[in-house]
Amino acid sequence: MGKHPMNKNTTTSPPSQPTSVVTGAAGFLGSHLVDLLLARGHKVIGIDNFVTGSVDNISHLGGNRNFKFIEQDVTEYIFLDVPVD
């Protein structure tokens, strides 16, 4: 009672890889957040204008396929051509 037979014709898709945006990605906190999200399987778009951040904080991510960096002031309009979570 209350149980439904499983439909054997359904397929389970693997979970999609979330895409996250981190502003201030080259700062101390932002760069650590980027590292954490990447370690958890996210794709990350990092945005920073280097006013207080440093390229040294994200240089180790060069070549990482799951990380994209945009040098941009977040107070200005930016269009991202990918869906984000």
Side-chain angles (χ1 to χ4, degrees), residues 62-80:
N64 186 323
R65 292 180 13 198
N66 291 320
F67 179 69
K68 177 181 178 180
F69 182 77
I70 301 170
E71 185 174 353
Q72 172 88 25
D73 184 339
V74 296
T75 64
E76 297 176 15
Y77 179 81
I78 184 168
F79 175 77
L80 299 175

Side-chain angles (χ1 to χ4, degrees), residues 1-5:
M1 232 173 145
K3 292 185 179 181
H4 300 282

Side-chain angles (χ1 to χ4, degrees), residues 4-85:
H4 300 282
M6 294 186 75
N7 184 348
K8 294 183 181 185
N9 293 331
T10 60
T11 58
T12 304
S13 301
S16 62
Q17 185 178 21
T19 300
S20 300
V21 176
V22 176
T23 58
F28 178 79
L29 293 175
S31 62
H32 283 86
L33 179 57
V34 168
D35 289 339
L36 175 70
L37 291 169
L38 289 170
R40 291 187 176 179
H42 291 235
K43 289 184 179 182
V44 177
I45 300 170
I47 303 173
D48 204 301
N49 62 358
F50 295 116
V51 169
T52 59
S54 171
V55 71
D56 293 338
N57 291 334
I58 55 171
S59 62
H60 65 284
L61 300 173
N64 186 323
R65 292 180 13 198
N66 291 320
F67 179 69
K68 177 181 178 180
F69 182 77
I70 301 170
E71 185 174 353
Q72 172 88 25
D73 184 339
V74 296
T75 64
E76 297 176 15
Y77 179 81
I78 184 168
F79 175 77
L80 299 175
D81 59 354
V82 296
V84 296
D85 299 306

